[in-house]
Amino acid sequence: MALIYPVAADLPEPEDGSEPDFAELAADLSDTWLVEVAVEEDGDDACFGPLTARAAWDLAVDVDERRPDWLVSVVPLHVAGTADELVALFDEDDEG
């Protein structure tokens, strides 16, 4: 399976077979999401969205089931704000 999606690092491991908490993904990361599909390393790429967290997950899983050799990513579409605010997000991580 080549399905990539974000998870919070501080969350406990989910139980086998459990689905992501879509409300939490939307609240923590973004209200809108993209599904990126890479067919081959140097091949065609596509991006679909914006979608809700649930719709993006469903689309990514469906594509992955049909073409497990493709790389499918679920990506938050989020505007952090100004360049200073974006840099501050990473600076805080470095200082901790």
Side-chain angles (χ1 to χ4, degrees), residues 18-19 27 42 71 84:
S18 66
E19 290 193 9
D42 293 329
L71 180 64
D84 288 337

Side-chain angles (χ1 to χ4, degrees), residues 21-33:
D21 183 348
F22 298 102
E24 183 175 320
L25 286 175
D28 289 348
L29 296 174
S30 180
D31 291 333
T32 52
W33 294 74

Side-chain angles (χ1 to χ4, degrees), residues 35-59:
V35 175
E36 296 178 345
V37 179
V39 176
E40 295 176 359
E41 193 170 308
D42 293 329
D44 295 327
D45 294 340
C47 187
F48 304 97
L51 302 165
T52 65
R54 181 64 201 222
W57 176 259
D58 289 344
L59 177 60

